Structures are given as structure tokens and as C-alpha cells.
Amino acid sequence: MSTPRPHVVHDTSVRVADNKLIRNTYTLLAMTLLFSAGTAGLSMMLNLPHPGVLITLVGYFGLLFLVTRLRNSAWGLAAVFGLTGFMGLTLGPILQAYLTMLPNGSQVVMMAMGGTGAVFLGLSGYALSSRRDFSFMGGFLTAGILVAFLAGLGAIFFQLPALSLGVSAMFVLLMSGLILYETSNLVHGHETNYIMATVTLYVAIYNLFLSLLQLLGFAGSDD
């Protein structure tokens, strides 16, 4: 005689756990985005200079390593806010430059923010509602991000504006894919740690915003 009831209960418990994971991820993501915006605003108010590429990379990877080590403890939350707060501080001088150097700087910033929000909400909503598994994109995204990262460093050190714009366009596509990929991982249980999921989505949003900002800034400049 079959006993389907335990299977139904198990499926329900798994679904509840998945919903809790997604809810915790998006709650923490919203908090980190607000905190990052606050540190960016503080950086702009204090007119802090940009720390430079080297300090930014060392700070980012160092704090990311710390988050990874502490992801299963309460200290992981503090590390997440440390990482996102630091990234907000590095964002402030960039925003200040766009606002002061472009005649339509405020419009460019707002368009980049709106575009980032629309892309994130649209792609996350699609991944959550369709429940499609985008885990197959993992290898492609890893290789693409590595190539784009190295090309971006080359564009900075060799001062190649055309390459920099190309990298920004690549990052728009790659970060869009990363949002789909990580949201799918949450839905299908490939990612079970909401701290790491939050960091991945935050990084995707941060880079998507910067890439759109550069592309829109170039399109709106008089040069």
C-alpha cells in the first residue's frame, strides 16, 4: 500500500526552506544595498578621493575572502556589511565625478540606477517564476568574467577607452547572466547559503550599475 503523505510533507518542507532562503537573501541584499548607498553618500559628502585600482582590488578580494571564511557564522553578516560598505566608499568618488564632469550627470546616474533596477527585477522575476535551471551557465560566466576582468585591467593600465567601453558592454551581459544564474541556484537548491548568495547578487548589481553608468556617460558626453 502506497503512502504518499510523507512525500507531500517532505516536498512542503523543502519548499518552505527554499522560500526562507530566498527571503533571507533578498532581505539581506536590500539591507546591503542601502548600506552601500549610505557609504557612497558619505564618501561624496566628505569628498573622499578614489582609493585607486590596487587598493580597491585588494580590499575587495580580501573582504570577499573573509566573507567566504565566515559565511556559516554570525560574523559572516558583519563581513558582508564590511565588503558592501567598502564598495560603497569606492563608488562615491565615481558618482561625484559623473555628477560634476558631465552637464547631464544627474540624469546619467539616475538612468543607470533605473536600468540596473529594471534588469535585476526583470531577470530575478523571470528566474523565480519560470523556475528554469540556469546552472549550465556557470562555466561560461566564470570564463567570461575572467576574460572581461583582465581586459578591463588592460584598458585601465594602457588607457584604451574603446576597450573600456567594450568591457563595460561585456559586463552588462555577464552580470545579467550572473543574476539569472544565482537566482536559479537559489530556486533549485544549488546555493544554500544566503550570505554567499547575497554577495554574488550584490556584486552583479554593483558591476551592472557601473557598466551602465560608463556606457550611458559616454553616450551622453560631448566628446
Side-chain angles (χ1 to χ4, degrees):
M1 181 177 179
S2 61
T3 55
R5 178 67 65 181
H7 179 68
V8 173
V9 173
H10 174 70
D11 287 348
T12 303
S13 63
V14 170
R15 193 178 304 115
V16 170
D18 290 344
N19 290 338
K20 182 180 180 181
L21 174 65
I22 294 171
R23 183 170 60 252
N24 288 342
T25 298
Y26 281 92
T27 299
L28 182 58
L29 179 63
M31 294 171 64
T32 55
L33 288 172
L34 288 173
F35 183 67
S36 187
T39 58
L42 178 64
S43 177
M44 295 171 67
M45 184 177 65
L46 298 177
N47 199 26
L48 297 179
H50 192 274
V53 176
L54 182 59
I55 294 178
T56 299
L57 291 177
V58 171
Y60 167 72
F61 284 112
L63 289 167
L64 182 61
F65 174 78
L66 186 64
V67 170
T68 304
R69 288 293 302 271
L70 300 175
R71 65 186 181 276
N72 294 316
S73 71
W75 287 106
L77 291 173
V80 168
F81 282 100
L83 172 62
T84 56
F86 172 75
M87 297 309 292
L89 288 175
T90 65
L91 180 61
I94 298 174
L95 294 177
Q96 188 67 36
Y98 276 88
L99 291 173
T100 56
M101 296 176 64
L102 291 178
N104 60 338
S106 58
Q107 290 92 335
V108 168
V109 171
M110 292 304 297
M111 287 177 63
M113 290 178 60
T116 301
V119 170
F120 175 74
L121 291 175
L123 293 177
S124 293
Y126 175 73
L128 290 170
S129 61
S130 70
R131 300 187 69 84
R132 288 188 58 185
D133 191 346
F134 291 97
S135 60
F136 66 90
M137 297 173 61
F140 167 78
L141 289 172
T142 299
I145 290 172
L146 178 60
V147 170
F149 174 73
L150 294 176
L153 289 180
I156 292 173
F157 289 117
F158 296 104
Q159 298 183 353
L160 301 172
L163 178 58
S164 181
L165 289 174
V167 170
S168 293
M170 287 179 61
F171 263 108
V172 168
L173 297 176
L174 289 168
M175 293 304 105
S176 297
L178 185 58
I179 291 170
L180 278 176
Y181 171 77
E182 190 62 19
T183 307
S184 171
N185 283 346
L186 287 171
V187 171
H188 295 280
H190 303 313
E191 175 62 79
T192 59
N193 187 291
Y194 75 98
I195 288 179
M196 296 308 300
T198 297
V199 169
T200 301
L201 291 174
Y202 173 88
V203 170
I205 292 171
Y206 182 92
N207 284 301
L208 177 60
F209 172 70
L210 279 184
S211 299
L212 287 175
L213 188 65
Q214 183 170 10
L215 292 173
L216 292 171
F218 176 80
S221 67
D222 296 328
D223 296 337

